[in-house]
Amino acid sequence: MKIFKVFQLTTFVFILVAPILLSAASDHGSISGASNALSGSYEIGGGGADFVDLEAAVSKILNVGMDAPVVFNLKPGTYNTHVIITHITRHGQYNDWLTIQSEDPNNPAVLQHDASSSNENWLIRFDGTKFITLQNLILEAVGVDDFTTVISLENNSSYIDIINNEINGYAISNAAPDAAGYLLVNQADTYLNNILIYDNEFNGGNGAIKLEGNPTGYISGVSVIGNDFNNQTALGSFYALTLYKVKNLTILSNQIMSNAYNAGGMRLFRVDEAVVAANRITMLGAGSGGVGLSLSNTNRGLNETIVVKNNFILASHSPLEIQGNNTRNISVFHNTLMADGIVAANTFPAPLSVDASTENIIIQNNILTSLQTDDSAFAMIIEESGTVTLSDNNIFYHASLNEFLIDGVAYANLIDYQNGTGMDSDSSHERIQFVDEAIGDFHLTSAQYQNPTLLTQPIAGVDDDIDGELRSDTTPLKGADDLDADVIFVHGFE
């Protein structure tokens, strides 16, 4: 169950979105002035409310507009909801925010919709609108048909904040259209931009989020931060989070967990300029899926970069795979990656795999562990070593015969790999111990904090760890977890 919070988000460093959140206890708003526009706070549902339901409130604001920030407070209860929010005329400031929220975050309103066709496959549809916050609600797709979308973003909608909601769906069949299985989706819209998806809980569905640009343009300014993704079924090889043709992307501090067959965590396809940091991904389902993070055809321009840092990823096939034509400029820093679980037939799993069509891949200060004993499993696979600009200061471990597959050659151990390729000259082989690796908790045990093998050189831009604790500026620890810099000093590492 989602724990709802009351908080004020006035500034956010990742995207230029600054919603104005008004208290649920504000006085009732007014419908006055020459334009009869709305302003202030309005109650929805129950006796004495300003509007009987959200549809009535939205109909009013679309009709008369708003001349100041507006808050719609939904009273506790369950509402059958199917609403489209189109362009809202703002008579005051162009960026006056509309906030739709529960009146009582401790007793959130429940909005439900049972779709029976693709023509109505949404609970709330943002259609060519902007400057709207949706927060502190339970939003549910209910029913048995192949339509489980809760939120749809369309037609140049922008500056949409989806904050602190519980968003629930259900599995649909393989035969259903791809987009129908996602809880939050857009319709191949080029100019969708400045979307904040923050601190929500996504439960069920074949996948949770799919956002994609169209053949002629990219979505810009998407931030997916602090969300929980639980039990997406991955029927049809869905990922919990799929982003296609998105630029200026931040994916930070999310938790994704599924043991479904072929389940995938994140897929970034043709994404330019991104930071993927401090996420925890566990994908232990059988099949050739079992991918934690897939980067494919990314940074097709020459100057874009993607940084993958401070992540815990546990997966049965590939915690991190980097592949696709023109995939370039990927930096993999301070991650803890582990491959474990059932190995599918005719597959070559590894904590990190890099295919031959990539360019300028940098791999530093990571812990890569494979507990899979199959002969086809490795600690790292690089199809063509020339694609990797630098790989060093990593810790590798593999429980079986061969540890590395580089340029099609299997190397039994780190020394053979170093001698054969000249790569990872300052890397090491060691079985690092974690707090609870079975569930993907790769925090170091207390004894490991004293392990000198973990000491490494700092990397610019990686100043903290997965928990936001500052790293030492001279001898940080490898992997995603570090001890707070002050504590490291006390223990004598400096």
Side-chain angles (χ1 to χ4, degrees):
M1 173 62 69
K2 175 72 179 171
I3 300 174
F4 291 86
K5 309 178 185 73
V6 180
F7 57 88
Q8 187 119 357
L9 183 64
T10 55
T11 59
F12 206 84
V13 68
F14 297 100
I15 58 173
L16 299 176
V17 177
I20 301 172
L21 307 184
L22 303 183
S23 168
S26 299
D27 293 336
H28 287 232
S30 62
I31 306 175
S32 60
S35 66
N36 290 322
L38 303 191
S39 64
S41 181
Y42 300 86
E43 288 186 341
I44 296 175
D50 299 292
F51 300 102
V52 64
D53 56 25
L54 182 59
E55 285 90 334
V58 168
S59 176
K60 185 66 178 183
I61 201 168
L62 293 180
N63 183 39
V64 302
M66 53 194 287
D67 59 13
V70 170
V71 178
F72 289 156
N73 290 309
L74 283 96
K75 291 185 174 183
T78 299
Y79 302 80
N80 292 319
T81 304
H82 187 230
V83 63
I84 302 175
I85 305 177
T86 56
H87 172 74
I88 299 171
T89 299
R90 287 170 168 82
H91 302 283
Q93 299 297 315
Y94 77 96
N95 59 348
D96 282 337
W97 282 80
L98 167 63
T99 300
I100 302 171
Q101 64 183 17
S102 290
E103 182 179 65
D104 180 3
N106 297 313
N107 188 11
V110 179
L111 279 59
Q112 297 180 337
H113 178 59
D114 181 358
S116 58
S117 74
S118 59
N119 293 328
E120 56 173 291
N121 187 26
W122 69 84
L123 188 153
I124 296 178
R125 175 176 162 186
F126 297 101
D127 191 346
T129 194
K130 60 182 62 177
F131 300 113
I132 298 178
T133 296
L134 191 67
Q135 69 175 15
N136 298 338
L137 297 162
I138 297 176
L139 308 169
E140 298 182 333
V142 297
V144 296
D145 295 308
D146 281 341
F147 308 102
T148 190
T149 297
V150 177
I151 299 171
S152 179
L153 300 165
E154 300 182 22
N155 295 332
N156 307 337
S157 291
S158 58
Y159 296 94
I160 305 296
D161 290 1
I162 300 169
I163 300 175
N164 201 39
N165 303 285
E166 180 181 320
I167 302 173
N168 302 321
Y170 55 90
I172 66 173
S173 72
N174 283 331
D178 180 63
Y182 287 92
L183 305 181
L184 189 158
V185 70
N186 80 301
Q187 304 300 321
D189 193 326
T190 304
Y191 301 107
L192 194 71
N193 66 83
N194 290 299
I195 306 298
L196 173 63
I197 303 169
Y198 178 75
D199 197 37
N200 302 282
E201 181 179 303
F202 292 87
N203 299 307
N206 288 20
I209 298 173
K210 183 176 184 181
L211 300 177
E212 60 177 310
N214 71 22
T216 62
Y218 281 68
I219 296 171
S220 179
V222 174
S223 293
V224 183
I225 301 172
N227 303 281
D228 287 345
F229 299 85
N230 302 310
N231 299 315
Q232 279 70 52
T233 62
L235 291 174
S237 298
F238 279 65
Y239 286 75
L241 176 61
T242 298
L243 298 170
Y244 171 62
K245 297 196 73 175
V246 177
K247 62 183 179 180
N248 302 323
L249 170 67
T250 298
I251 304 177
L252 174 67
S253 298
N254 301 282
Q255 181 167 292
I256 304 177
M257 182 175 294
S258 178
N259 291 330
Y261 182 84
N262 269 352
M266 301 182 192
R267 184 177 189 232
L268 309 186
F269 183 75
R270 295 191 67 177
V271 167
D272 292 350
E273 287 290 342
V275 175
V276 182
N279 300 284
R280 305 181 188 197
I281 305 173
T282 301
M283 293 285 136
L284 289 178
S288 59
V291 175
L293 170 60
S294 175
L295 304 176
S296 182
N297 294 82
T298 57
N299 288 339
R300 295 171 68 86
L302 296 177
N303 299 316
E304 292 87 358
T305 60
I306 292 178
V307 178
V308 179
K309 62 181 181 178
N310 289 337
N311 299 284
F312 288 169
I313 309 180
L314 171 64
S316 58
H317 178 67
S318 183
L320 173 57
E321 62 178 21
I322 303 173
Q323 60 184 356
N325 293 329
N326 299 317
T327 293
R328 55 169 62 95
N329 305 336
I330 310 294
S331 297
V332 181
F333 296 148
H334 282 283
N335 299 281
T336 303
L337 311 176
M338 179 179 286
D340 195 10
I342 299 172
V343 176
N346 303 314
T347 64
F348 295 87
L352 173 60
S353 62
V354 181
D355 81 9
S357 56
T358 61
E359 179 182 339
N360 191 27
I361 311 301
I362 300 175
I363 306 164
Q364 286 183 280
N365 292 354
N366 303 283
I367 301 174
L368 284 72
T369 302
S370 174
L371 300 184
Q372 296 168 322
T373 58
D374 301 64
D375 292 345
S376 63
F378 299 87
M380 185 167 69
I381 298 174
I382 300 175
E383 290 188 2
E384 185 177 314
S385 58
T387 64
V388 176
T389 303
L390 175 65
S391 181
D392 211 356
N393 298 111
N394 302 294
I395 297 177
F396 300 99
Y397 178 82
H398 184 223
S400 190
L401 295 176
N402 293 309
E403 196 159 5
F404 302 92
L405 183 62
I406 313 295
D407 296 323
V409 178
Y411 295 95
N413 54 55
L414 177 62
I415 294 175
D416 289 350
Y417 158 61
Q418 290 169 328
N419 291 336
T421 66
M423 299 171 67
D424 279 289
S425 59
D426 290 321
S427 294
S428 57
H429 169 95
E430 186 168 336
R431 177 71 164 95
I432 302 299
Q433 302 299 316
F434 304 108
V435 169
D436 194 346
E437 61 192 30
I439 61 171
D441 183 353
F442 296 142
H443 288 94
L444 300 167
T445 62
S446 57
Q448 291 296 322
Y449 287 122
Q450 305 289 341
N451 185 348
T453 305
L454 287 162
L455 297 176
T456 189
Q457 300 297 315
I459 295 174
V462 190
D463 302 319
D464 57 7
D465 72 352
I466 189 170
D467 302 309
E469 295 176 341
L470 288 177
R471 294 180 180 271
S472 165
D473 59 4
T474 57
T475 53
L477 303 186
K478 298 169 186 174
D481 182 33
D482 205 326
L483 198 60
D484 182 79
D486 292 335
V487 180
I488 292 174
F489 181 80
V490 169
H491 281 272
F493 279 88
E494 296 185 332

